Amino acid sequence: MHRWLEMEGEAERERLAQRRKAQSSDTAERSGETLLDLVIRTHTTGLGGRYLITLAKRRSPDRLPWNRFKVGSPILLSDNRDEDAESLQGVVSARRVDSLEVAVDDWPSSDRFRLDLSPDEVTRKRQSAALQSAAKATGRHAQLRDLLLGEREPTFHRNMKPPTDISQRLNPSQHDAIRHALSSNDLAIIHGPPGTGKTTTVVEVIRLLVARGQRVLACAPSNTAVDNLLERLLAIGEPAVRLGHPARVSEDLRQHSLDALVGRHEAMMVVHQMMREAEQIERQAAKYTRGRPAPGHRGQQRQEARELKRHARILEKQAIADLLKDARVICATTTFDDSVLDDLRFDVLVIDEACQSVEPGCWVPLRRADRLILAGDHLQLPPTILSDAAKKEGYAVSMMERLVNHYGDLVTRQLTVQYRMHESIMGFSSQHFYDNTLIADESVRRHVLSDLPRIQNDLVSDDPVTFIDTAGTGWQEELEPEGLSKRNPEEGRLVLKQVNALCEAGLAPSDIAVIAPYAAQVRWLRENAIYDQLEIDTVDGFQGREKEAVVISLVRSNAIGEIGFLSDARRMNVALTRAKRKMIIVGDSATLGSDKFFQSLLAWVEKTGSYRTAWEFAD
């Protein structure tokens, strides 16, 4: 794992260097990890004295190009015209269609900027330190390490009295998973297929653990997933403290961040007063005076200022300790800076969306806990890995996937009732990935577009699934000019035609998603779509999301049956499970049919009567 971390770090640095060499927007911005020719639209100060700078395009201020910048992403802000100029490090603190807000410690010295996603070396160092700590561990940490490496068997309270306080709103499979997690002495896994209420189940587990007097560290690999956990906990009246850089926390939840809570602590008035006094004394010590001060007087002043600051920091640290010792639930990303916790330990570590974390990330919070509960779906997207060599060696296998494969049903419980999709939309994934175990809840089992207000069902079909076959049309894929990503403009036109038909029938553009596996197709679709509220993104961008209707563009169409990374069935599982009431898939069966997964999908759409040809939609 140490070696894989090094390989991944090198791959990230090489990628950044290549992007910085590409100065034209056509090439540099293509990856979605760079934005050029930005200007400052507005700025404020906040978040611990940091500058919050809103950046927009200089020449096209109404919309940013498709990009991978998310709230919490580490960034480098630099002069657009001088590649040798020093960069400012920061994080994305807000994201909008036309702008990005970034938090930086210093004011940037330029009037035109470039923004790059930055290699996250700090996170990598924390992961490496956690691996070293696990290797040398003793006591409970060592026992968990051995269990997670398959050298000890997990145990359970088999005769535990069934809890009677589980929420009756939850279904039997959720109850079973919760009982299983509560009975675990070491490790439990909650497997949550799409739409099955995994996070709802995790939050109920946390509530019950706290009710039993236990302290919980609740983590997830991304800031968005942590914020989702925190929001759900607050909604059921379970107070929690959010750790992490305030700019990485959703604006609506920042009042629950440690920084905000400490800022409201009664001791902080004294801390701020002491810091102001110290700064005033420092200014006096540096001030020129006509009269010659007594020998050593300036030194005494500086020493007095240092002592005031030292006492202020002690008071601040005590305020933090006061807040954390009373917190029953603390929420953080898996790779948070745990030095703020001092010697705090937790009865249980819960990691939601565990399959999206590389394994070293899970070892960071493990140092603090006596038991571990993992939740996720190893049959959806794995962690994103840049190093092909590390991926081939196994770095893309998450801790949860590895443990499910090793321990199986001994530690794992799967949720079976899904609350998102019409049963027809659910059907193929249930059959192919989950052994036909999924059941559509009655509330969604038969819901269709015409159940929504303002839908004119004479303008749109209520068929939940439609596969539109472009075979024989001659709509061939192409490489994006000067790029490596694939696009298919003719297929894109048909996709947008389907979107327009949905909107004309009364469905709001904001209720529709267009998913394409290739960034070049996403860019083409965004440039040609007429609705600003229409979401168009890659599969990765829609993990954990849902829309009333989803249109999927599969792009690949060639004479040799080459489908590239479309062959990653887990990625397709995500795409096929985002729609609630209607899913339209557009693709070339002649090309896709060379792959076993797509053979199964095509057989299923034919069997269910969902197959159409592109000729049926010609003008």
Side-chain angles (χ1 to χ4, degrees), residues 528-582:
N528 289 276
I530 61 174
Y531 299 104
D532 287 342
Q533 291 79 31
L534 174 67
E535 282 200 67
I536 306 171
D537 211 337
T538 58
V539 180
D540 302 53
F542 279 102
Q543 173 88 332
R545 308 278 309 288
E546 60 184 37
K547 291 284 186 177
E548 298 291 352
V550 172
V551 186
I552 303 169
S553 174
L554 295 176
V555 179
R556 300 308 297 263
S557 179
N558 54 67
I560 58 174
E562 171 61 49
I563 67 167
F565 69 82
L566 279 190
S567 59
D568 183 347
R570 290 183 295 185
R571 179 169 267 99
M572 286 310 304
N573 187 28
V574 174
L576 295 170
T577 53
R578 300 306 99 195
K580 297 164 73 173
R581 299 170 191 265
K582 191 171 189 68

Side-chain angles (χ1 to χ4, degrees), residues 483-610:
L484 297 175
S485 184
K486 301 281 195 307
R487 69 184 191 183
N488 191 324
E490 291 298 333
E491 180 177 293
R493 289 185 182 91
L494 178 57
V495 164
L496 293 180
K497 187 176 179 181
Q498 296 301 308
V499 170
N500 295 343
L502 290 167
C503 293
E504 287 165 10
L507 191 61
S510 57
D511 287 329
I512 306 169
V514 177
I515 300 177
Y518 288 89
Q521 187 77 342
V522 169
R523 281 188 284 273
W524 188 94
L525 289 163
R526 282 172 61 102
E527 288 165 7
N528 289 276
I530 61 174
Y531 299 104
D532 287 342
Q533 291 79 31
L534 174 67
E535 282 200 67
I536 306 171
D537 211 337
T538 58
V539 180
D540 302 53
F542 279 102
Q543 173 88 332
R545 308 278 309 288
E546 60 184 37
K547 291 284 186 177
E548 298 291 352
V550 172
V551 186
I552 303 169
S553 174
L554 295 176
V555 179
R556 300 308 297 263
S557 179
N558 54 67
I560 58 174
E562 171 61 49
I563 67 167
F565 69 82
L566 279 190
S567 59
D568 183 347
R570 290 183 295 185
R571 179 169 267 99
M572 286 310 304
N573 187 28
V574 174
L576 295 170
T577 53
R578 300 306 99 195
K580 297 164 73 173
R581 299 170 191 265
K582 191 171 189 68
M583 175 173 66
I584 301 170
I585 310 164
V586 184
D588 180 350
S589 65
T591 300
L592 300 169
S594 63
D595 177 80
K596 286 186 177 179
F597 171 80
F598 283 103
Q599 286 172 14
S600 300
L601 177 60
L602 290 165
W604 181 81
V605 296
E606 287 195 23
K607 182 180 178 182
T608 57
S610 306

Side-chain angles (χ1 to χ4, degrees), residues 453-466:
R454 297 183 299 279
I455 296 295
Q456 301 178 54
N457 55 6
D458 58 325
L459 296 179
V460 65
S461 161
D462 264 342
D463 295 338
V465 180
T466 304

Side-chain angles (χ1 to χ4, degrees), residues 1-10 13 123-129 131 358 360-361 390 395:
M1 286 187 199
H2 275 295
R3 196 164 59 81
W4 289 341
L5 278 172
E6 290 169 7
M7 292 161 75
E8 184 70 358
E10 184 58 34
R13 288 187 289 273
T123 291
R124 223 172 334 268
K125 286 176 182 175
R126 289 174 187 164
Q127 292 173 336
S128 183
L131 294 176
V358 292
Y395 192 38

Side-chain angles (χ1 to χ4, degrees), residues 344-559:
L344 269 185
R345 285 197 62 79
F346 297 84
D347 299 289
V348 185
L349 165 65
V350 176
I351 302 180
D352 195 14
E353 306 294 357
C355 296
Q356 293 178 45
S357 171
V358 292
E359 176 149 348
C362 293
W363 288 92
V364 175
L366 262 168
R367 293 179 287 190
R368 296 278 179 176
D370 294 334
R371 293 156 54 199
L372 173 64
I373 297 171
L374 298 173
D377 183 5
H378 53 289
L379 300 174
Q380 293 188 65
L381 284 178
T384 300
I385 308 296
L386 295 181
S387 169
D388 289 335
K391 186 186 293 186
K392 286 175 183 174
E393 290 185 17
Y395 192 38
V397 178
S398 66
M399 174 185 279
M400 178 174 154
E401 181 181 359
R402 183 174 63 74
L403 292 171
V404 167
N405 291 336
H406 183 78
Y407 288 118
D409 292 342
L410 175 62
V411 299
T412 308
R413 292 294 182 273
Q414 183 197 315
L415 307 180
T416 58
V417 181
Q418 69 84 16
Y419 298 88
R420 174 185 300 158
M421 298 163 273
H422 186 287
E423 64 178 357
S424 295
I425 298 173
M426 173 198 78
F428 177 73
S429 282
S430 180
Q431 172 187 298
H432 191 86
F433 295 99
Y434 306 108
D435 297 323
N436 279 321
T437 56
L438 296 189
I439 303 162
D441 185 70
E442 196 59 38
S443 62
V444 301
R445 189 168 71 89
R446 295 286 186 185
H447 68 180
V448 290
L449 284 181
S450 62
D451 295 335
L452 296 172
R454 297 183 299 279
I455 296 295
Q456 301 178 54
N457 55 6
D458 58 325
L459 296 179
V460 65
S461 161
D462 264 342
D463 295 338
V465 180
T466 304
F467 182 94
I468 304 177
D469 190 358
T470 65
T473 60
W475 298 349
Q476 296 287 295
E477 68 190 54
E478 63 183 33
L479 273 179
E480 190 176 34
E482 299 182 36
L484 297 175
S485 184
K486 301 281 195 307
R487 69 184 191 183
N488 191 324
E490 291 298 333
E491 180 177 293
R493 289 185 182 91
L494 178 57
V495 164
L496 293 180
K497 187 176 179 181
Q498 296 301 308
V499 170
N500 295 343
L502 290 167
C503 293
E504 287 165 10
L507 191 61
S510 57
D511 287 329
I512 306 169
V514 177
I515 300 177
Y518 288 89
Q521 187 77 342
V522 169
R523 281 188 284 273
W524 188 94
L525 289 163
R526 282 172 61 102
E527 288 165 7
N528 289 276
I530 61 174
Y531 299 104
D532 287 342
Q533 291 79 31
L534 174 67
E535 282 200 67
I536 306 171
D537 211 337
T538 58
V539 180
D540 302 53
F542 279 102
Q543 173 88 332
R545 308 278 309 288
E546 60 184 37
K547 291 284 186 177
E548 298 291 352
V550 172
V551 186
I552 303 169
S553 174
L554 295 176
V555 179
R556 300 308 297 263
S557 179
N558 54 67

Side-chain angles (χ1 to χ4, degrees), residues 9 31 78 91 139 141 198 213 228 432 438 458 619:
S31 68
S78 54
V91 296
H141 191 190
K198 169 185 56 62
N228 185 33
H432 191 86
L438 296 189
D458 58 325
D619 290 328

